[in-house]
Amino acid sequence: MALVRASRNARLLLLVRHGKAAPKNVGLTDFERVLTEEGQADCDRVARDVRMLGLKLDLILSSPADRALETAHLFAGRVNYPYSQIGIVDSLYTSPAIRPQVALIRTLKKSVRTVALCGHNPSFDQLASYFICNPARSLAKGG
């Protein structure tokens, strides 16, 4: 895998979709659903891959939903990012539209060069389509 910055002002954006979560019918609200063991393992694998690339994350932002926040914590632990600095962004959970997420990315400080967003579909597929012409496929859970 090759990572290329288009310019000195370019930002590397990692869209980290939450891992596989508990089914919707187990007595939890959608917001409270947590990762399954498989979901935790998928997130761990992706985070290890990111660490092996030698990327230093300047910022991790997460949906407040339990499964996304759990994903953010697993990810942070693997890439040596402080848990206390994970930002929680309501629109990563509440907005099916990507406009608030694009606005968020555009308002980040210039010093934030590499950012990971931990969240959900369908908005992450839409974000990928917005930033990448003809994305290869949908983002898998835990991908």
Side-chain angles (χ1 to χ4, degrees):
M1 173 188 298
L3 300 173
V4 178
R5 293 191 193 273
S7 74
R8 291 185 335 172
N9 294 324
R11 177 174 282 137
L12 179 60
L13 174 65
L14 304 173
L15 300 175
V16 183
R17 186 173 172 206
H18 67 76
K20 185 174 180 175
K24 294 180 182 179
N25 60 354
V26 295
L28 299 172
T29 66
D30 182 66
F31 191 86
E32 297 170 321
R33 292 172 48 223
V34 295
L35 297 178
T36 63
E37 286 184 24
E38 179 184 351
Q40 292 172 351
D42 287 342
C43 292
D44 188 60
R45 176 187 44 78
V46 170
R48 280 184 287 138
D49 290 346
V50 167
R51 186 182 69 206
M52 286 177 27
L53 290 171
L55 297 177
K56 180 194 173 293
L57 296 181
D58 297 312
L59 184 62
I60 295 178
L61 299 174
S62 177
S63 155
D66 288 349
R67 61 194 180 276
L69 200 50
E70 188 178 356
T71 297
H73 280 102
L74 287 167
F75 203 79
R78 278 287 183 196
V79 298
N80 297 319
Y81 185 89
Y83 298 120
S84 62
Q85 291 183 21
I86 295 171
I88 298 174
V89 180
D90 289 337
S91 66
L92 289 173
Y93 179 71
T94 60
S95 180
I98 64 167
R99 178 170 281 155
Q101 297 164 14
V102 171
L104 169 71
I105 294 163
R106 288 186 173 152
T107 60
L108 295 174
K109 294 179 182 177
K110 289 187 183 223
S111 61
V112 176
R113 306 307 308 149
T114 304
V115 59
L117 301 182
C118 298
H120 315 269
N121 260 351
S123 61
F124 273 20
D125 276 350
Q126 294 169 11
L127 271 173
S129 293
Y130 180 83
F131 288 113
I132 304 169
C133 294
N134 302 317
R137 58 184 164 79
S138 177
L139 294 172
K141 288 180 182 173

